Every structure is written in structure tokens, then in C-alpha cells.
Amino acid sequence: VLTLVHAGFCLPEGRNIANPCGSTGMGPYDYAQALCMSYVFYEAERSGDLPGDQRVTWRADSALDDGSDVGHDLSGGYYDAGDHVKFGFPMAFTATMIAWGLIDFEQGHNTAGQLDYGRAALRWATDYFLKAHTGYFEFYGQVGDGYVDHAYWGRPEDMTMERPSYKIDTNAPGSELAGEAAAALAAASIVFQNVDSSYASTVLDAAKELYQFANERRENYHVSIPAAADFYRSWSGYGDELCWSALWLYRATWDTGYLDAAKQHWNDFGIQNPPGEFSWDNKIGGIYALFTLLQPDDATYSGALNQFLTNLRYLPTTPGGMVFIEEWGSTRHAANVAFVALMANKLGVDADTNRQWAETQINYILGSSGRSFVVGFGSNYPVRPHHRASSCPDIPEYCDASWAQYQEDANPQTLWGALVGGPDQNGNYVDDRNDYVKNEVACDYNAAYTGALAAMVENN
């Protein structure tokens, strides 16, 4: 096989890979294949030193010097979306949701043969969070400047701009960020408890300290990391992250002190008031499901979960039946609440209604409206996702915005498994690389969607 040498790496020629995930025969929507593909997407989003078993071979090592500006190794983790910033807050939510899917829909993962891939995807994030936790009450929550990064269209392997590192610490805290990282690490400790007990203990210790940090030094994280404010400011505040992370720590430890803390956060921050979404910003819908799981005899929580999901069924829908919560990442929002509905089904909360409703949401994403919103899945799927790396030809061919961003052809590299933003309320969608509302992809877009697919495998 001919090879090309680029930036010190030996890469195979012609790396636009075939779909690594074969059809399983599950129809009309092959949830097992879609689950496999979702984990392939996460491999395409990897930053740092890539492993030898990397399936997305048009990617190579990148951003190996992250953290050099502050004297810490902050390489690794995931690029956020179609760009190359590492935003810790949504990355942590992504990890929490991947872990949740692995824990409560383990059977679906196992049936689909995706347990090891799921654990690898989770660990790619949690290894990075351990690096980012550089000291007592210190955590690096972002690498890269959003505006500088967005001015660059090209591969992450070719980046030359400065990538500043931003942290929270005792003097500049950030409760949403520390709380979500705590939740991710606590959930990960459950995933790895019977696989790698030493690693599970390590991530749990970090989770405990980060929760303490979030709770004792309360502050909105964008105040301490202003560079995040225009991109991932938490409009819901930090109360939901405090409650959410306390619940995950209770589940990981069975220490009732964390349960008591979660109940206190519930009261202090009005968690009982149902929101209209479940997302990287607002964890309340997930809190209802977790509380119901952990306190099954208290109707307060199952009632809140039922009310949240009932309210969602009265929201507007697109033609074809996808619940419409917000135009920016509309499919992501539908998948997120579908995951909560599938947890409600598992917990026996209006089980049949929630299972059937969730199925309509996932099926819409996979093609029931006549088009798939997952790159490479089904028929009539997106081929021009707003994603810099996949829009570039094989390394070392030249790539910049004039060549890649504005070309009319399909992306040279197929971004298998990526969930694109999706349609507007009227169902309008054009496969346009430059429409970052409807056609960008992101780690958090695939997060709850991944777990929902594992649930659908279990249910079929």
C-alpha cells in the first residue's frame, strides 16, 4: 500500500474509509448499526495522540502541544464540533451521557457488540479530565479560543494558531463546569468498576473533589472563563449541575450524604420546576429520571419525570412528528428527551407511552420523514456536514476555506455516524455545509442519542 508522510506520521493513501459498521438486519431502522456508527463519529472527534486501533484513518495525531502555555499536558479529549476547540463543559456532559447509556442500557450495547467501543469513547474523555484536574480545586475547562479557531478552516492536524488554556481554581471557580466534570467521572467510575477497578477508584476520587469544589466555591463558570461565555454559557445556572453531580456520586458510592445534598439542591434551586429541554446546559429532566431510579418509592420524583415528559408531548412538532424544542440542533434536542423517555420506560413511568414516543423521535432522526439526519446512515443522508476535517481531502493535499468550505461536492471524508443539527419547525432542511445551525455536528449532539440507540436495541 502506498503511503504519504505528513507532519511526521505515516498515513495510508486514500483514507476516506468505508463504513466500519455493517448492517445487522434489524429493520426498518438498524439501531445496532447506528449505535456502532455513533462511536465511529467520536473517533473522528478525537484530539491528541491517536491509538493504533483508530478506525477513522483520515485523522492523525493533532494538538499534541495543548497545555504547553501553562506547563501541563492537556493533549487528548474531544474537539467540540466541526471546529477544534476543546470546551470542557459540553465535553463533560457528553461523557456523562455516554456513561449513562453504558450503565443502564448495557444489554443493548452488548447485543450490538459495542461495549468495548463505548468504554473507549468514554475513557477518551475521562483520561483528558484527569489531565485537566491539575491540582486541588483546579481544573482546565477549555483549550483554544473560539473566535480564533472559527477563523480557521482546515484540518486539526495542520493548525498553527495559539491554543490558550483556561482554568477554574479556588480564586476563580466555576460550579457548572466542576459539577459536570464530577458527574462524568462519577458515572465513569460505575462503568469501569468491574472492568478496571483501579481506574474506577481514580476517577471517583477526582469526582468527589470536583463536586466539593463546585459546591463550596460557587460561581458561574463563564465568569472565570470568559472565553466560554459566547459559546457555552450556562443559562440555567449551576444548581442543576450541583444536584446532578450529587446524584451521580450517590449512585457511585451509596453515601447518603450525597443523596441528602441532592435533595437540598432540589429545594434550593427549584429543580421541581420542569424545563422545556434536557441538554448540556439544563440537566433537570435527567435529574428527574435519576431520582426516580434512586428513590423509587418517592412519588415526588416519578411524578416530576412524568410531568416533564407529558409537557414535551404538547410541544410543536415538525411534519413527521419530531418534537421541536429549538432550531439550533433540533435533532439533538429530540434525541436528548427521547433518552429520558426511554429511561422512564425502563423505570415503569407511563412505560408504553414513553417508549412509543421515544421510538418516533429516534425513527425520525434515522429516516422516517424520508431523509436521515445521520451521516452515512440509511438513505438520503447528509453528505455536507459543517465539519472542517471531513471537508478536507486526504493529507497532505491542500485544504482551506476556499477549497473545502465552499465547494459544492460532498465532503471528501464521510463522517460516519454524525448527527447533524436538523430541520426547522416546518421540516425544512438543506444539506448545506455553511448552515451551521442545521448541518453542524457536535459531541453533545451524539451523546444522549447514543444511549437512546442502545435502549432501542434492547427494546427490539
Side-chain angles (χ1 to χ4, degrees), residues 107-127:
Q107 178 188 332
H109 276 90
N110 193 50
T111 298
Q114 296 304 307
L115 265 179
D116 287 343
Y117 289 115
R119 290 167 181 158
L122 174 60
R123 188 157 178 164
W124 198 263
T126 54
D127 281 352

Side-chain angles (χ1 to χ4, degrees), residues 2 45 47 55 85 119 158 160 170 178 192 197 275 311 319 345 349 353 360 369 416 444 448:
L2 294 176
E45 293 299 286
S47 179
R55 291 175 292 178
V85 184
R119 290 167 181 158
D158 297 333
T160 58
T170 302
F192 292 109
S197 59
N311 292 351
N345 168 65
V349 176
T353 297
T360 65
S369 69
W416 300 107
D444 78 278

Side-chain angles (χ1 to χ4, degrees), residues 275-282 284-285 308 312 325-326 333 337:
E277 66 177 61
F278 173 56
S279 68
W280 61 265
D281 182 13
N282 194 314
I284 291 177
F308 170 66
L312 292 173
I325 293 172
E326 180 183 316
H333 279 289
V337 294

Side-chain angles (χ1 to χ4, degrees), residues 115-433:
L115 265 179
D116 287 343
Y117 289 115
R119 290 167 181 158
L122 174 60
R123 188 157 178 164
W124 198 263
T126 54
D127 281 352
Y128 171 72
F129 295 146
L130 292 176
K131 288 183 176 183
H133 186 216
T134 48
Y136 182 72
F137 283 15
E138 183 174 273
F139 185 80
Y140 278 86
Q142 183 173 327
V143 179
D145 177 275
Y147 288 106
V148 173
D149 180 90
H150 288 183
Y152 166 77
W153 192 282
R155 308 178 186 91
E157 293 83 358
D158 297 333
M159 291 186 296
T160 58
M161 79 283 279
E162 291 185 0
R163 290 174 58 79
S165 305
Y166 304 92
K167 70 175 179 176
I168 53 174
D169 59 23
T170 302
N171 297 318
S175 296
E176 302 100 329
L177 173 60
E180 190 59 52
L185 291 164
S189 75
I190 301 170
V191 171
F192 292 109
Q193 189 171 27
N194 296 322
V195 181
D196 184 339
S197 59
S198 176
Y199 187 73
S201 178
T202 297
V203 294
L204 183 57
D205 286 345
K208 291 175 181 177
E209 184 179 309
L210 285 166
Y211 170 74
Q212 183 186 3
F213 181 17
N215 192 35
E216 292 185 5
R217 300 286 297 145
R218 296 184 181 183
E219 179 59 275
N220 297 115
Y221 93 103
H222 73 272
V223 173
S224 300
I225 304 181
D230 288 346
F231 300 92
Y232 285 103
R233 176 175 179 169
S234 176
W235 296 100
S236 69
Y238 51 70
D240 52 330
E241 280 79 27
L242 292 179
C243 187
W244 172 250
S245 54
L247 282 176
W248 277 112
L249 276 160
Y250 173 60
R251 190 175 187 185
T253 65
W254 302 114
D255 179 341
T256 56
Y258 290 116
L259 178 61
D260 293 342
K263 291 179 177 179
Q264 188 65 51
H265 298 321
W266 173 284
N267 293 326
D268 289 348
F269 295 102
I271 305 295
Q272 67 272 16
N273 300 316
E277 66 177 61
F278 173 56
S279 68
W280 61 265
D281 182 13
N282 194 314
K283 317 298 159 46
I284 291 177
I287 288 169
Y288 295 158
L290 268 185
F291 253 127
T292 301
L293 173 69
L294 298 169
Q295 298 281 276
D297 297 328
D298 192 331
T300 300
Y301 306 119
S302 58
L305 176 60
N306 189 49
Q307 188 62 58
F308 170 66
L309 292 167
T310 299
N311 292 351
L312 292 173
R313 292 196 292 273
Y314 285 96
L315 292 179
T317 64
T318 63
M322 187 188 78
V323 63
F324 191 81
I325 293 172
E326 180 183 316
E327 185 169 0
W328 197 302
S330 62
T331 56
R332 164 266 310 264
H333 279 289
N336 289 357
V337 294
F339 178 93
V340 178
L342 288 161
M343 280 300 304
N345 168 65
K346 190 179 186 76
L347 296 167
V349 176
D350 201 3
D352 289 343
T353 297
N354 281 312
R355 181 190 60 78
Q356 292 168 11
W357 183 76
E359 184 173 337
T360 65
Q361 303 309 302
I362 299 302
N363 288 353
Y364 183 96
I365 288 168
L366 296 180
S368 67
S369 69
R371 73 141 45 249
S372 165
F373 293 96
V374 177
V375 178
F377 183 87
S379 61
N380 195 23
Y381 55 76
V383 297
R384 301 173 189 85
H386 182 89
H387 186 270
R388 289 157 176 77
S390 72
S391 75
C392 290
D394 288 347
I395 296 171
E397 292 182 45
Y398 183 72
C399 181
D400 69 0
S402 63
W403 188 94
Q405 185 177 3
Y406 301 108
Q407 62 162 319
E408 295 183 2
D409 293 340
N411 286 16
Q413 317 295 350
T414 303
L415 193 64
W416 300 107
L419 177 63
V420 300
D424 65 17
Q425 186 176 333
N426 296 318
N428 297 316
Y429 169 83
V430 176
D431 185 12
D432 180 357
R433 186 178 299 105

